[in-house]
Amino acid sequence: MRVFPQPGDPRLRGASRQHVRIRVIKKKKVIVKKRKKLSSPSPLVTARPPVTTSPAGTIDLPEVQEPGCPPLGLESLRVSDNQLEASSSQSVGLGPHRGRLNIQSGLEDGDLYDGAWCAEEQDAEPWLQVDARHPVRFSGIITQGRNSIWRYDWVTSYKVQFSNDSRTWWGSRNRSTGMDAVFPANADPESPVLNLLPEPQVARFLRLLPQTWLQGGASCLRAEILACPVSDPSDPFPETPALASSDPLDFRHHNYKAMRKLMKQVNEQCPNITRVYSIGKSYQGLKLYVMEMSDHPGEHELGEPEVRYVAGMHGNEALGRELLLLLMQFLCREFLRGNPRVTRLLKETRIHLLPSMNPDGYETAFRRGSELVGWAEGRWNQQGIDLNHNFADLNTPLWEAEDDGLMPDTVPNHHLPLPTYYTLPNATVAPETRAVIEWMVRIPFVLSANLHGGELVVSYPFDMTRTPWAARELTPTPDDPVFRWLSTVYAGTNWAMQEPDRRPCHNQDFSLHGNIINGADWHTVPGSMCPRVALPVP
């Protein structure tokens, strides 16, 4: 998940969150039931007589739509499944618990983890209801359509109602006419659409009532609700304040300028163990800054392992970026305090932290802000290149050489040269990718991790399936026991991964397999920079 609060947003002092990584994988099972053909969307259809809110049929909304309240927590799972209800559901997998912004569908059409809440076709008055559990000030709604590779389903307009007891309801009114407001919704399945309420409403329950949806589709939506907390003097059990960190660390989202300033501050606080350097520039000319932390920064010491962490390969995945910025602050502070574990770590290891491999993409997403960024906006670099698929495919020549008996006498089984096509001047290789490759050639890293956002799992090599065109297949490396051990150590010490009552982020429950998975057995990614660690929303 992505969260990019703007200056002044109350979320800036809260915990970081991150957006979904979406991959479309070809379906291997033959569909025997009738499914919708993915052609150009049909014209809109009114599901029932429209409610006119003004002579022009429009709603009074502010000219500039800026959310004034933070998300209630549908996307982050802070709102639990039992807080969501609906008038009806097409199936268990399309129940109200799936009506969460940016939720993803499963691989099979109609499985238990489908990509939205969808009302039954015969439901004449569908609704999706959220129970905030205590009064809040509702200020806006963000909606999407259904995430599916098989269907087009999205709501095009809806009304909003509120209640304090789930029995007596009142609607959001148009200021100029006093009539029920009808809000414009979505025109495609993935782009988030924000509607601010004409007047914020204090209530416990909020209900979305779809009015129209795409012709040939169903009343399906994913949503996030914007709501500010309010005090309730009549509540005998006031809500327990959320726990916050007592660490004097900079807990907020950092755009490029703020990130650079923070790295400089850490360097000034700990000049003896830190060095900031650049490995190159992005397509738009932003420097790719690295924080080096060691007792002899700038020196490669014989026998001292070189380790790197990379984040922000997808620009709209913000959590890894902030974790690395927090990590460099923490290591600096604990070293100054004389923490023996940190002191030993920095004396025996040379650590390199690249918090933003794709700064151009982050800036693009940051400007839109919060949940309003579509899953692809800012994901790729400014050239439209997915950096996670932009590295050279060295797996294929390795496996072909093995099959032909050329390994290792004719073709080496390590340090393979880049393919000729990859080194051509007109090769589609992003400057960010070239910078990281030159960085890896220059420094002999022995251990690395690439932090993504979206799922709660540690993925280890290989990332690409050995069988051509296979969507997923267990493809271990010769060092598989080592990678599994490293992954298990990480997952075993991650509190979020060890939470026994947590539910799957999207459509797979990785806790069933120890929260680790072989990358190719998850989904094949040719040209990736592995290994990587996929991170959840906290």
Side-chain angles (χ1 to χ4, degrees):
M1 294 184 183
R2 305 164 304 272
V3 178
F4 299 88
Q6 301 300 314
D9 193 312
R11 285 173 285 173
L12 290 177
R13 303 193 62 82
S16 300
R17 303 168 53 231
Q18 184 89 350
H19 186 300
V20 173
R21 302 177 62 232
I22 298 178
R23 287 188 172 84
V24 176
I25 302 176
K26 291 186 177 180
K27 186 178 177 69
K28 295 185 285 185
K29 180 180 177 181
V30 176
I31 300 296
V32 295
K33 66 178 182 178
K34 183 177 180 181
R35 54 186 170 87
K36 302 296 181 181
K37 182 179 179 181
L38 286 183
S39 56
S40 300
S42 305
L44 306 183
V45 65
T46 302
R48 49 195 166 128
V51 179
T52 304
T53 61
S54 70
T58 59
I59 181 173
D60 294 336
L61 291 174
E63 293 184 3
V64 179
Q65 296 227 18
E66 295 181 356
C69 289
L72 186 63
L74 276 73
E75 182 183 17
S76 68
L77 303 180
R78 189 165 62 249
V79 171
S80 63
D81 289 350
N82 58 21
Q83 291 176 254
L84 300 170
E85 294 185 38
S87 57
S88 64
S89 301
Q90 289 185 10
S91 66
V92 174
L94 292 169
H97 66 292
R98 300 300 290 175
R100 302 173 181 272
L101 197 74
N102 290 314
I103 204 76
Q104 297 179 44
S105 64
L107 300 181
E108 305 297 331
D109 186 27
D111 70 7
L112 294 180
Y113 298 108
D114 224 317
W117 160 71
C118 292
E120 293 180 351
E121 294 183 6
Q122 62 269 30
D123 190 344
E125 296 184 348
W127 51 261
L128 175 67
Q129 177 178 308
V130 181
D131 178 4
R133 288 185 171 165
H134 53 82
V136 296
R137 187 170 73 253
F138 294 111
S139 67
I141 300 98
I142 303 171
T143 59
Q144 289 172 310
R146 176 181 176 181
N147 174 254
S148 174
I149 61 176
W150 306 109
R151 292 181 55 93
Y152 278 128
D153 294 303
W154 61 77
V155 170
T156 58
S157 69
Y158 59 89
K159 295 200 298 185
V160 184
Q161 291 182 340
F162 309 93
S163 175
N164 287 317
D165 58 8
S166 75
R167 294 175 181 170
T168 304
W169 295 85
W170 72 93
S172 181
R173 301 284 183 173
N174 190 313
R175 284 190 299 240
S176 63
T177 66
M179 300 179 66
D180 284 344
V182 178
F183 297 87
N186 299 87
D188 63 61
E190 294 296 339
S191 298
V193 174
L194 166 67
N195 279 298
L196 297 184
L197 300 176
E199 294 291 344
Q201 299 289 320
V202 175
R204 172 176 169 176
F205 298 90
L206 180 144
R207 181 176 284 184
L208 301 178
L209 300 93
Q211 301 295 296
T212 60
W213 46 89
L214 189 70
Q215 183 175 15
S219 175
C220 300
L221 61 79
R222 293 173 286 169
E224 180 60 90
I225 308 300
L226 304 182
C228 292
V230 296
S231 60
D232 182 9
S234 64
D235 188 355
F237 302 103
E239 185 181 18
T240 303
L243 296 178
S245 174
S246 59
D247 293 331
L249 304 178
D250 194 359
F251 284 94
R252 63 188 178 95
H253 284 262
H254 299 77
N255 63 6
Y256 181 77
K257 183 178 180 180
M259 179 189 73
R260 183 174 59 183
K261 181 179 179 181
L262 176 61
M263 296 177 73
K264 181 180 179 182
Q265 291 173 344
V266 173
N267 178 237
E268 291 173 347
Q269 292 170 3
C270 296
N272 296 330
I273 60 167
T274 64
R275 178 175 73 103
V276 179
Y277 65 96
S278 171
I279 62 172
K281 293 183 178 180
S282 69
Y283 183 75
Q284 288 192 313
L286 300 181
K287 291 185 177 180
L288 307 181
Y289 286 111
V290 176
M291 171 66 74
E292 178 191 338
M293 307 194 77
S294 177
D295 59 337
H296 294 93
E299 298 181 28
H300 172 67
E301 300 180 72
L302 188 64
E304 185 170 295
E306 303 273 3
V307 177
R308 78 172 191 269
Y309 278 98
V310 177
M313 171 179 277
H314 292 139
N316 60 1
E317 295 175 1
L319 181 56
R321 176 193 188 109
E322 300 307 323
L323 285 177
L324 292 192
L325 293 177
L326 290 171
L327 177 60
M328 61 182 69
Q329 295 176 69
F330 174 80
L331 292 177
C332 170
R333 190 197 68 172
E334 291 301 304
F335 182 84
L336 294 177
R337 291 179 56 186
N339 184 315
R341 183 182 182 188
V342 172
T343 300
R344 179 182 176 185
L345 180 68
L346 295 179
K347 285 186 176 181
E348 298 181 359
T349 313
R350 189 181 179 205
I351 302 171
H352 305 256
L353 308 176
L354 173 60
S356 184
M357 181 180 167
N358 184 6
D360 295 350
Y362 186 95
E363 294 300 294
T364 298
F366 186 89
R367 284 191 292 269
R368 281 294 307 276
S370 192
E371 286 75 11
L372 300 181
V373 179
W375 75 269
E377 189 168 359
R379 176 182 175 88
W380 300 303
N381 82 334
Q382 202 64 27
Q383 297 169 281
I385 297 175
D386 186 340
L387 303 181
N388 195 40
H389 294 256
N390 196 225
F391 288 80
D393 171 19
L394 301 181
N395 297 62
T396 299
L398 173 72
W399 293 328
E400 288 179 348
E402 285 183 351
D403 293 340
D404 295 338
L406 303 177
M407 188 79 66
D409 298 330
T410 305
V411 177
N413 61 2
H414 59 89
H415 294 86
L416 272 68
L418 294 175
T420 303
Y421 73 86
Y422 198 81
T423 60
L424 297 175
N426 62 345
T428 308
V429 183
E432 297 90 345
T433 308
R434 291 193 185 278
V436 170
I437 291 175
E438 293 172 0
W439 183 39
M440 291 189 289
V441 171
R442 187 167 63 252
I443 299 178
F445 295 111
V446 299
L447 187 64
S448 67
N450 185 13
L451 277 61
H452 285 260
E455 288 287 3
L456 185 51
V457 65
V458 180
S459 171
Y460 57 91
F462 285 122
D463 270 2
M464 179 181 176
T465 57
R466 181 157 186 168
T467 301
W469 309 113
R472 55 183 299 180
E473 176 186 62
L474 179 63
T475 311
T477 70
D479 297 314
D480 188 63
V482 174
F483 280 121
R484 287 181 58 83
W485 175 76
L486 289 170
S487 301
T488 301
V489 168
Y490 185 99
T493 54
N494 185 295
W495 285 5
M497 289 183 172
Q498 295 305 309
E499 171 56 51
D501 298 324
R502 71 173 179 86
R503 54 159 287 176
C505 288
H506 297 287
N507 53 55
Q508 289 179 270
D509 188 357
F510 294 101
S511 65
L512 301 176
H513 308 285
N515 299 298
I516 69 172
I517 192 169
N518 172 255
D521 200 27
W522 182 9
H523 47 241
T524 185
V525 184
S528 72
M529 181 182 69
C530 59
R532 67 181 185 277
V533 178
L535 299 169
V537 175

